[in-house]
Amino acid sequence: MVHPAISETAKAIKELKIQGARNIAERAVAAIYSMLLDEKEKGTEKEEIIERIKEAVGVLAKSRPTEPALRSALAYVLREVTRLKDLPTGIFTDALIESLEKFAERMDETEKKIAEIGSGLIEDGYTIITHCHSSTLMGIFRKASEEKEFTVIVTETRPKYQGKKTAKELLEMGVKVVYIVDSAAYYFMKQADIYMTGADVITADARVINKVGTALIALAAHEFGVPFYVAASTYKFDPATVLGFSEPIEERDPAEVIDPKELKGAEIRNPAFDATPPNLVSGIISEKGVFSPYTFVSLLSSEKTIDPQLETIIKLAFNR
Amino acid sequence: MVHPAISETAKAIKELKIQGARNIAERAVAAIYSMLLDEKEKGTEKEEIIERIKEAVGVLAKSRPTEPALRSALAYVLREVTRLKDLPTGIFTDALIESLEKFAERMDETEKKIAEIGSGLIEDGYTIITHCHSSTLMGIFRKASEEKEFTVIVTETRPKYQGKKTAKELLEMGVKVVYIVDSAAYYFMKQADIYMTGADVITADARVINKVGTALIALAAHEFGVPFYVAASTYKFDPATVLGFSEPIEERDPAEVIDPKELKGAEIRNPAFDATPPNLVSGIISEKGVFSPYTFVSLLSSEKTIDPQLETIIKLAFNR
Amino acid sequence: MVHPAISETAKAIKELKIQGARNIAERAVAAIYSMLLDEKEKGTEKEEIIERIKEAVGVLAKSRPTEPALRSALAYVLREVTRLKDLPTGIFTDALIESLEKFAERMDETEKKIAEIGSGLIEDGYTIITHCHSSTLMGIFRKASEEKEFTVIVTETRPKYQGKKTAKELLEMGVKVVYIVDSAAYYFMKQADIYMTGADVITADARVINKVGTALIALAAHEFGVPFYVAASTYKFDPATVLGFSEPIEERDPAEVIDPKELKGAEIRNPAFDATPPNLVSGIISEKGVFSPYTFVSLLSSEKTIDPQLETIIKLAFNR
Amino acid sequence: MVHPAISETAKAIKELKIQGARNIAERAVAAIYSMLLDEKEKGTEKEEIIERIKEAVGVLAKSRPTEPALRSALAYVLREVTRLKDLPTGIFTDALIESLEKFAERMDETEKKIAEIGSGLIEDGYTIITHCHSSTLMGIFRKASEEKEFTVIVTETRPKYQGKKTAKELLEMGVKVVYIVDSAAYYFMKQADIYMTGADVITADARVINKVGTALIALAAHEFGVPFYVAASTYKFDPATVLGFSEPIEERDPAEVIDPKELKGAEIRNPAFDATPPNLVSGIISEKGVFSPYTFVSLLSSEKTIDPQLETIIKLAFNR
Amino acid sequence: MVHPAISETAKAIKELKIQGARNIAERAVAAIYSMLLDEKEKGTEKEEIIERIKEAVGVLAKSRPTEPALRSALAYVLREVTRLKDLPTGIFTDALIESLEKFAERMDETEKKIAEIGSGLIEDGYTIITHCHSSTLMGIFRKASEEKEFTVIVTETRPKYQGKKTAKELLEMGVKVVYIVDSAAYYFMKQADIYMTGADVITADARVINKVGTALIALAAHEFGVPFYVAASTYKFDPATVLGFSEPIEERDPAEVIDPKELKGAEIRNPAFDATPPNLVSGIISEKGVFSPYTFVSLLSSEKTIDPQLETIIKLAFNR
Amino acid sequence: MVHPAISETAKAIKELKIQGARNIAERAVAAIYSMLLDEKEKGTEKEEIIERIKEAVGVLAKSRPTEPALRSALAYVLREVTRLKDLPTGIFTDALIESLEKFAERMDETEKKIAEIGSGLIEDGYTIITHCHSSTLMGIFRKASEEKEFTVIVTETRPKYQGKKTAKELLEMGVKVVYIVDSAAYYFMKQADIYMTGADVITADARVINKVGTALIALAAHEFGVPFYVAASTYKFDPATVLGFSEPIEERDPAEVIDPKELKGAEIRNPAFDATPPNLVSGIISEKGVFSPYTFVSLLSSEKTIDPQLETIIKLAFNR
């Protein structure tokens, strides 16, 4: 029997009642946390708890198989389980509870660290071009705005206009904003000193999966010798890709693009992401530092070969 | 005293009462045609007529200095004047009237020829990616659709959604349409066999000026080895660029992008065009055939050095 | 009623009794020449003769629609008809007979001229890499070998091993030969000073169609900064491509690649040519000089727009 | 005195009586294994055994200095010696015997793991292009064929036609095969979704050494945006390259290319491999996962600086 | 007997008493002009005069076979002879005298025209990077400086520091100058809006031969999407390259680089020029307009095939 | 109170009395070493000593913030402090003294190791192109010259002509030298087999910071498929760049370029370094082996996340 916290959260995610990458991630971890509290009260054995967690991860992962942040959060839980699994039951449960309790907090610390590091890449007087909205990147902009003057060229980011949110927050910080349609990125690229975005997922072969359009603009940046830096905490690395699972690209509601009635007979496609190859990315700004995507992956993968248990869980969870 | 047909047309263009590239071009030629009929009736001498035309060209050109089609149409008039200027007055006037009378008709013939030639590039089963709306390109699609089945990936083309018009016309032809946001062009490029657009202007150094975003998508096409063909009649060649005049890129009303009140303090930019360098263009489909941009320009420029009179007129007209 | 010289020659070409690009070209012209002699004797009128020629061109063109040399030879005949068509009947016929009589001879002169010009590109001590066998290119090597020492890296050119012929002729000239499999071209490219091949067809958008593998090796040359020069007389330019007709790539007998019985169930493909894009070609060595592909096409196309009669004949001939 | 198992195996390798990369590797390890059994019976001391192994490695390595698989297998033995060398003699010998005994078995497990991981990269309906024959890659194809339908474009791979073997095995799996000559790879690349090969060696600076032609086709893949994945177990990494020893490219019998009598006077060259630079390789599929070549090398080299003993042995073994 | 004006001028050029590209060119033409005046007085026949000119051209061309400007000037004389050679003797001589008399003047007009056209490419506020010193380019800068403010990054141009001359003249015009060593061009390229140089020769395959370093900096410009425009009058086109004669690169006195005594045993090399391939050049600014190098060559070569007489003379003159 | 050894050394560095990268580095370490001896004598506590070291590092780092070798040496000291900081006071102090005492010696060993490894990349008969002077690279050349014959193309390296030193040392080794101006690198690149330089700093995102011009020549090497290897010990890795601190490029005295009086009004710029992006670098030759820049950074960064103490010290030291 799946714990109600899990099944309800999964249902809410499936029915789009919970939305937004980080929100979904935190709510999924919170559900497992709730379940753990109950199991602790019941004094459930470690082995049993681990089984329940695997099950929970499987249920949650399937609730939105195209949301990379959800996958990353669940992979985090699994990594913590693996890390702690040799402890005695009581200590294990407490340690895991504590770890999950601090998930959101830790993400805040991570963001803060990235903000501090990333702001070093922005020099006074710079013109930055960005795409979509990334809270991690906004942290960098906020930090940098405390000491430097710079301008950000913001693309509106069709179809959901996340650029508007980016622009508004920048204006509130007192940062100069140039607001353009997505396809004007080539036209304005010569003026840019640096191209910066967030990321949804970094794959094992070092590609950056982010809001559709990111790769297209990366080509323009490359054409004008403008370096491209991606703000992404290490938990954006998806271990499933190590095993050759290709990252599925979510296709969202066509109605976000256009009312289908307006174009009867047309196939309206709305992929949410694209994948930028690593040769177009100068560096990833994570809480570990600023490294090329190749090094970023090396740092996260170097300690050991794939943990067999983790591998089994991944396969279970992602039903592959 | 400027002829009323000229001044009124110029005013209507300036006040945006006349809109649309081809419409503006034809109305400008029509205004000069009207003036010519009057001058003929008055029996004005050739030299005087030429002066009036120069003046008219100047007035009209200034009414919308960023509309390339208008520049091209006026250049056409000037070329006709040059071509006919050694004829005796009566014959000159009649010949010029006849020539201008046939301006729209000749454009139709040109379009038809391009449709026929361009349809040869579309093979049965092809997937084509396109951007914005070009009546010249629609002619090619229409012609090809009579004999072949193919799919067109249409970008919506922000900010004015001309892609919607393109999609609707294709659906009416019975052509399969995939409709996407502009920035999804990279994501879908691997599926494309060919990238095709229209053009607003071809410069002397062989760049293709077209709807903003054209160059960005051309980079993606290049990345995937997808050839890029541009449908453009020879009158899209702008002789002013031979003389080093750089093509001004029109910046349109920011409100087309976003209601400025929504982003107070932001600079909203709305350039209408960008310039694709010739190394990203496989060929231009004109009424003279399918040639690389370099050859296209060579064919149009080879006959002679710059005609000094044409040069003078261009400078007068464009106030430089 | 098609003239027997035409129908028999067409049949022999269709049944592969006549083979080899230049041989097919010369025999096709010779057949029209025979027919012309008969018509002259019969005193046929010019208009009638032209009709017969169009018909003959149509029949011959269809006998081997994938042999570009045949298309080029027939296009030559058509151009000569166009050039002479305003002469009175008697003079027209004589002039055309004389022109066709000299077809082979003129090709020899052309080859000689190319040999002379092309040998200037080979410097003493050079290492040249080549692919397949081209009699035009062999003329250049022969001429150069009279004054200079150089080495030619020859690819065997699967599936028909034309490289063997190239190697043998070079050895007879006393030129040093390095003989390799096709796929070793990358390995040896660093040693090469220049990459040289012949060509079957140059298209209006400046692509070079030549033996399959030419484009692949051109990529390697580009990677190592080795310039690529193509030896091709101007009659290799295919006017049909101006009209958007894409050059069909001949697929030859799979048995040339492998005995199909050895690989039952496999689809064996044997395309004879590939198309090298012009940005990979430094120059075309023709009897008019050494020019970039773009300029080469410009020189051949600049005089006029497409001759309407030629266009009609091309369409008839190529059944499109 | 070199142990007879060593000297005889070395002789058989030298005289080509033992052939095939993996076969040579396993037979060399088996020879050392035999020797170890004898030494164990004799109760030889650890230090002495290690000396004998070094000697054996030297003899075997020189028997075929251009066979990378042999080098890799010997490096494996040396790494095992290093790993176990601090154990007491008896345990050391037993552990080493057990390790070598399982060499072939471990390679099987490795291959199985790679098959599983690599099959994830093949999507239903894909068209894959490959070159030569790699048993590791065949494992991937076999695994993938159990669940998905796909087509493989197979190059014949001159001069030894290993493509034929690849094609036959694929046909037996029920996979669709398109069989082409090597130089047609450019022509067919547009149709491919992915380019996959095996590898003979991965160098410390992340280059992939594989059958001659691999790099050439990689250029074509790059031109069309087709990702290139290489199937290679981690034992393909050559530690000698860390020390700056450049990987020697074996030149095989010219008679494999052509009977030298047919081309008297020509230098016939037959390099077996070429080196693809890492920027053309999207990922290496190893038993550790799918990583870029840069990360692959990082994972294998990160634990420590070069082991001085290993270094000494390598130098002895490779006589440098 | 060679005319004394010819032999003395040739001697002075050979002994470096006459220096500087344009100076040499004008003095060579002046020598032929002197000779012509004498021949006119003597009433020499046209055929005889033409022979004398051919002889003179040969003598002068050999006086400095590596000075492209000299070759261009002599080619100009030969083209004028060809153009006028069908006139009757008297008129021929007078026309030729008049033409040569105006050589310098025509060059001035050409420069003025280029200045006017080229200044259109410089926008207010631009940063331009340049290399070496070109009087043609200085004309453009002078013209532009009358209306606009801009900054020029000037490379010193080793070994002769022509950049110093460029910088001084710019400072006199009131233009802002940034002065750097040649190898800092990459470092400053991001700041540049345009890269501009002069040219010594344009070849038939559209390469730009200019001061050594031009191509190197062109690579940097390409890397940062900075367009490269070359100021060059049409007489910089070298017709000898049409015939496959490769442009010889002059090697100047090693002592310009370093006192050879300082580096005994070293080979000191001092090539004066390098050749920039046309794909790195956005346009050539000539008196005919701003065109890509491919179009520039097309415009100059399109009228006719190679004039046989010109060809003979070229070969005689250049002793090839 | 800052220790006099520290303050005096800092003063001497500031006033340019101590010059040369390695000299500055060794003198800075020596100053801290002196201070440590005093502290040991005084029996200062570990915590106090660490405070003094931090202070000293801060003072020294600020004495020449643009000298990367100084930063690297100080980072080395800090790393040693971190490594030893858990030892008891007495042992800590002794261990640190010993470590610093051996700084120069260890650098010698490192150089020797690099020489040995790097010489493996130079094959007999090679032509190498290099820029500036690097003692590390000279070690490689010296080692290689003992066994092989090769030629080195040496750029003079404006403005300080370090190439002269390189050339002289090579001539003394008996190596053939071709000496050229910097901007001739493109002209000679086709002849090179390999491009090799030293490095001042390797950043966390894998860029190579070296003498201005290095990146420019790297572009030319890339154009001709010439691999670029950089000789650099691991202590050239700058940990500050991990934290997003951008490497400041030193601007040296303009008078090195030209006497400012000669160009009154010009801005003379003299950056000492440029940054080559990692995609232009084939490998870094360090004492750990030959690895791509990405792997080089991975190896140095993989062990752990950023040490918080190290981070604090870095920030203090570099006043950021």
Side-chain angles (χ1 to χ4, degrees), chain D residues 56-175:
Chain D
V57 162
V59 169
L60 289 164
K62 285 169 197 154
S63 71
R64 198 73 173 274
T66 56
E67 177 52 73
L70 175 59
R71 296 161 55 102
S72 292
L74 297 173
Y76 171 80
V77 174
L78 294 170
R79 270 199 300 269
E80 287 302 285
V81 169
T82 303
R83 183 171 66 87
L84 304 170
K85 71 173 188 295
D86 295 332
L87 300 172
T89 290
I91 302 177
F92 168 81
T93 314
D94 284 347
L96 194 56
I97 284 171
E98 194 189 328
S99 167
L100 299 199
E101 196 171 15
K102 289 187 177 158
F103 179 71
E105 188 187 316
R106 220 169 284 175
M107 274 172 69
D108 283 342
E109 275 164 29
T110 293
E111 302 286 286
K112 211 182 132 199
K113 184 78 194 158
I114 294 176
E116 198 183 344
I117 293 174
S119 69
L121 297 179
I122 297 176
E123 298 188 15
D124 203 61
Y126 256 31
T127 295
I128 301 151
I129 186 163
T130 190
H131 184 59
C132 201
H133 180 272
S134 149
S135 58
T136 307
L137 184 56
M138 293 314 295
I140 291 176
F141 286 155
R142 185 163 289 112
K143 180 74 184 165
S145 73
E146 293 167 7
E147 306 164 0
K148 301 160 193 167
E149 296 230 336
F150 55 93
T151 299
V152 183
I153 301 172
V154 178
T155 55
E156 61 176 15
T157 317
R158 282 282 294 155
K160 303 263 289 178
Y161 299 105
Q162 290 95 332
K164 216 188 292 183
K165 195 178 173 198
T166 299
K168 280 180 183 168
E169 294 184 16
L170 285 166
L171 290 167
E172 280 162 21
M173 292 175 205
V175 171

Side-chain angles (χ1 to χ4, degrees), chain C:
Chain C
M1 201 58 230
V2 174
H3 188 278
I6 304 303
S7 53
E8 278 157 30
T9 303
K11 190 158 172 280
I13 292 173
K14 193 175 280 167
E15 297 173 351
L16 304 172
K17 280 172 192 157
I18 303 175
Q19 287 197 315
R22 184 165 171 188
N23 197 24
I24 289 172
E26 288 185 17
R27 293 287 292 271
V29 173
I32 297 172
Y33 173 76
S34 294
M35 181 185 83
L36 274 179
L37 289 184
D38 283 1
E39 302 300 346
K40 185 189 173 184
E41 218 169 79
K42 288 195 263 177
T44 317
E45 279 305 301
K46 186 174 71 174
E47 286 68 25
E48 168 73 12
I49 288 179
I50 290 178
E51 279 315 301
R52 305 298 312 261
I53 290 175
K54 284 185 192 178
E55 185 187 41
V57 162
V59 169
L60 288 164
K62 286 169 197 155
S63 71
R64 198 75 172 270
T66 57
E67 178 52 73
L70 174 60
R71 293 160 56 102
S72 293
L74 297 174
Y76 170 79
V77 173
L78 295 172
R79 272 200 297 271
E80 287 301 285
V81 168
T82 304
R83 184 172 65 86
L84 304 169
K85 72 173 189 292
D86 295 333
L87 299 172
T89 291
I91 302 177
F92 167 81
T93 314
D94 284 348
L96 193 56
I97 284 172
E98 195 188 327
S99 166
L100 299 198
E101 195 169 18
K102 288 186 179 160
F103 179 71
E105 186 187 318
R106 221 170 280 176
M107 275 174 68
D108 282 342
E109 275 165 27
T110 292
E111 302 287 285
K112 210 180 135 198
K113 185 77 194 160
I114 294 175
E116 198 184 344
I117 293 174
S119 69
L121 296 179
I122 297 175
E123 297 189 16
D124 205 60
Y126 256 31
T127 296
I128 301 152
I129 186 162
T130 190
H131 184 59
C132 200
H133 179 273
S134 148
S135 58
T136 307
L137 183 57
M138 294 314 294
I140 290 176
F141 287 155
R142 185 163 288 113
K143 179 73 185 169
S145 73
E146 293 166 8
E147 305 165 0
K148 301 160 194 167
E149 296 230 334
F150 55 94
T151 300
V152 183
I153 301 173
V154 178
T155 53
E156 61 177 15
T157 316
R158 282 280 296 154
K160 303 263 290 177
Y161 299 105
Q162 290 94 333
K164 213 188 295 183
K165 194 178 175 199
T166 300
K168 280 180 182 167
E169 293 183 17
L170 285 166
L171 290 168
E172 279 161 23
M173 293 175 205
V175 171
K176 268 181 282 183
V177 167
V178 174
Y179 189 80
I180 61 172
V181 297
D182 303 329
S183 64
Y186 180 92
Y187 183 85
F188 286 97
M189 191 54 78
K190 172 68 188 149
Q191 303 172 24
D193 294 293
I194 187 171
Y195 170 38
M196 298 180 95
T197 69
D200 285 87
V201 164
I202 316 290
T203 67
D205 53 359
R207 291 174 300 131
V208 171
I209 293 176
N210 193 42
K211 176 59 55 194
V212 75
T214 302
L216 191 58
I217 300 174
L219 285 176
H222 189 75
E223 199 73 3
F224 289 94
V226 172
F228 177 21
Y229 285 90
V230 171
S233 63
T234 56
Y235 89 102
K236 294 292 177 73
F237 177 69
D238 182 349
T241 59
V242 172
L243 300 174
F245 296 141
S246 64
E247 201 58 43
I249 299 292
E250 181 186 5
E251 292 252 0
R252 300 172 66 99
D253 186 356
E256 286 180 6
V257 177
I258 192 171
D259 182 344
K261 283 177 226 147
E262 280 205 69
L263 279 182
K264 275 187 189 149
E267 182 187 5
I268 300 159
R269 296 284 302 273
N270 187 16
F273 308 107
D274 61 20
T276 305
N279 64 310
L280 298 176
V281 182
S282 304
I284 292 178
I285 310 161
S286 77
E287 73 274 21
K288 288 208 174 193
V290 182
F291 296 105
S292 80
Y294 306 112
T295 301
F296 176 84
V297 173
S298 298
L299 298 191
L300 296 179
S301 311
S302 60
E303 298 89 23
K304 58 194 158 317
T305 59
I306 305 158
D307 182 316
Q309 196 189 8
L310 178 60
E311 184 178 340
T312 313
I313 298 176
I314 287 175
K315 286 184 185 168
L316 270 172
F318 299 113
N319 195 22
R320 289 190 271 197

Side-chain angles (χ1 to χ4, degrees), chain D residues 204-205 242 244 294 305 311 315, chain F residues 113 116 229 288-290 292 295:
Chain D
D205 55 358
V242 172
Y294 305 112
T305 60
E311 183 177 342
K315 286 184 185 166
Chain F
K113 184 78 195 158
E116 198 184 343
Y229 286 90
K288 290 211 173 192
V290 182
S292 78
T295 301

Side-chain angles (χ1 to χ4, degrees), chain D residues 13-34:
Chain D
I13 292 172
K14 194 175 278 166
E15 295 172 351
L16 305 172
K17 279 171 191 157
I18 302 174
Q19 285 197 316
R22 185 165 170 187
N23 198 24
I24 289 173
E26 288 186 15
R27 292 287 293 271
V29 173
I32 296 173
Y33 172 75
S34 295

